Amino acid sequence: MIGKLNHVAIAVPNVAAAAAVYRGALGATVSEATPQPDHGVTTVFVELPNTKIELLEPLGDNSPIAKFLEKNPSGGMHHVCYEVEDIYAARDRLKAEGARVLGDGEPKIGAHGKPVLFLHPKDFCGTLVEIEQV
Ligand SMILES: CC[C@H](C(=O)O)C(=O)SCCNC(=O)CCNC(=O)[C@H](O)C(C)(C)COP(=O)(O)OP(=O)(O)OC[C@H]1O[C@@H](n2cnc3c(N)ncnc32)[C@H](O)[C@@H]1OP(=O)(O)O
Ligand SMILES: [Co+2]
């Protein structure tokens, strides 16, 4: 069911500083920062030959990554995103298998303008999993 690794996300306290590290020391191609108010984050994407790194900074008072950063003040690996062909079929299969789909269970439009869902880390080896329909 899951396909390519679309991105690995790193939550950071300051996305501009993190972007400068990737652009400078690591010599990567880095996007501009994009506020994503519906998701409570500001994102920067680092383009790699085979996938992307998503840098995330909290946006607003109820950011879903705020608590993660309290526990990891320097930042840390936050989630992985796998591609799926049909997000509704994937959701229904995951729910049938007893996995917890976060939020109201309805896909939201993510940073790439595609539908995304998140799955509870406790059901996936302690890793927050995002699925994105491509
Ligand atoms: C613009 C969209 C963009 C895209 O790619 O398109 C994005 O990726 S947006 C990314 C930000 N949005 C989200 O992360 C939405 C889904 N996340 C959530 O709903 C929350 O972060 C949640 C529920 C996973 C955790 O929320 P919170 O930290 O407030 O809850 P708890 O402290 O109760 O955590 C429960 C339990 O899970 C552990 N945890 C939390 N976050 C992670 C994580 N990133 N990876 C692994 N484990 C995580 C936490 O430590 C708790 O475990 P416990 O043993 O009970 O302490
Ligand atoms: Co993501």
Side-chain angles (χ1 to χ4, degrees), residues 14-28:
N14 182 311
V15 81
V21 168
Y22 272 82
R23 190 179 297 114
L26 295 174

Side-chain angles (χ1 to χ4, degrees), residues 14 23 28 37 39 65-66 69 79 91 93 100 106 116 126:
N14 182 311
R23 190 179 297 114
H39 292 270
I65 69 169
L69 280 169
H79 65 268
R91 178 196 63 184
R93 171 175 163 172
R100 286 168 281 184
E106 289 305 312
V116 300

